[in-house]
Amino acid sequence: MSEHFLVTGGNRLEGEVVVGGAKNSVLKLMAAALLAEGTTVVTNCPDILDVPLMAEVLRGLGCEVELEGSEVRITTPAEPKYHADFDAVKQFRASVCVLGPLVARCRRAVVALPGGDAIGSRPLDMHQSGLRLLGARSEIEHGCVVAEADDLHGANIRLVFPSVGATENILMAAVLARGETVIDNAAREPEIVDLCNMLNQMGAKVSGGGSTTLTIQGVRKLEPITHRVIGDRIVAATWGVAASMTRGDVRVRGVNHKHLGLVLDKLRLAGAEVTPEVDGFRVIQRERPKAINFATLPYPGFPTDLQPMAIGLAAVADGTSMITENVFESRFRFVEEMIRLGADARTDGHHAVIRGVPVLSSAPVWSSDIRAGAGLVLAGLVADGVTEVHDIFHIDRGYPRFVENLRGLGGVIERVSTE
Ligand code: UD1
């Protein structure tokens, strides 16, 4: 059975939407539960498939995991298993975040490589070289990344790029290593800060979260705790961009607007009135959006995960937008689908030039990843007629209650199943 969305264009989005916990945080926080024997509780978990998939990975490592509503209870044994096999990890890349905690707890980790990804190759070289500096041996063997350490010790590690995943794995290994570790050119994403906060609550000694230098004093043991996941800034911004594209008025709650500083500035440049609020922000767009230029960069730069939605905005903006993708080389592949919807777009390497048209034209289109799928639905909202968006399992992986939320704002969308 496959499912697709039918999106009817032409409706202004209006109302309020509440976002849940961040997908890019919750999975790492669940992995961090491996670092402490006993029961760790993670709250404000989003209702997306990756959460039960991560629960399966942890069960395979010997944990007991209970999911109830937006709460996950993970009970980690004194001696977790160290082998996450292919069946457990194949469905989502983020599972590689168990690598650091397993090396820290078991001094040994074997994690199957999840395979390719539509947005570009995603090597693990920085994860491995960081773990090697902490004293581990690490190789790729028989389709798995293997890491082993007799003794984990502090080290000075300078990342060649502020990789989110490498920062997290090295951080989670270093918290139980002997001595001091300094990670330079560390990723600064709010999800990294969330992880640092959780680790510190567990008894770790991490300072510098949110800056380019993380300093970690290794401790012998961590304790299980309860931690609430931060709101999903990418989901929140998706609704903000949708408000701007449809000349709507949307209040987004459940997120810290400070995590979206540059994105909200870009919406202002597109002509939106953006008001920060205690628990989120509000976007009102009265006229046709204006063209925007941006380059994706690690935080606090413009997030690569929002590039497809922003291209949707550029496609109907007044003027020509210049967009540069600096993080994932294949992320522009989905632009072909936007062209199918009538976008006047051209890409050359990691640059795209989009000449805005007043309205897009509905067509069948295919999602290639979570964010491309969301970008195509937004484009469908401003296309004439009914746009069919296929391969929507991608969208379901990142957007809890997507149809309900969009309908709640006045969007016209239907989920259709076919044999
Ligand atoms: C995370 C997010 C993803 C987001 C990305 C960048 C999760 C689950 N996913 O992915 O949604 O788009 O951050 O904000 O949190 N790289 C290497 N070698 C490495 C590691 C990374 O070359 O060892 C490269 C990647 O190929 C990519 C760049 O570094 O070009 C950034 O990747 P990274 O920040 O690691 O992204 P992820 O953690 O995989």
Side-chain angles (χ1 to χ4, degrees), residues 11-30:
N11 295 290
R12 179 171 187 261
L13 296 193
E14 208 170 3
E16 180 175 297
V17 61
V18 182
V19 303
K23 165 184 168 291
N24 286 352
S25 212
V26 66
L27 306 171
K28 329 301 171 63
L29 305 180
M30 289 173 73

Side-chain angles (χ1 to χ4, degrees), residues 24 28 121-127 163-165 304-305 327-328:
N24 286 352
K28 329 301 171 63
S121 69
R122 296 173 87 171
L124 295 176
D125 52 323
M126 283 186 248
H127 302 236
S163 153
V164 173
T304 175
D305 284 350
V327 182
F328 287 113

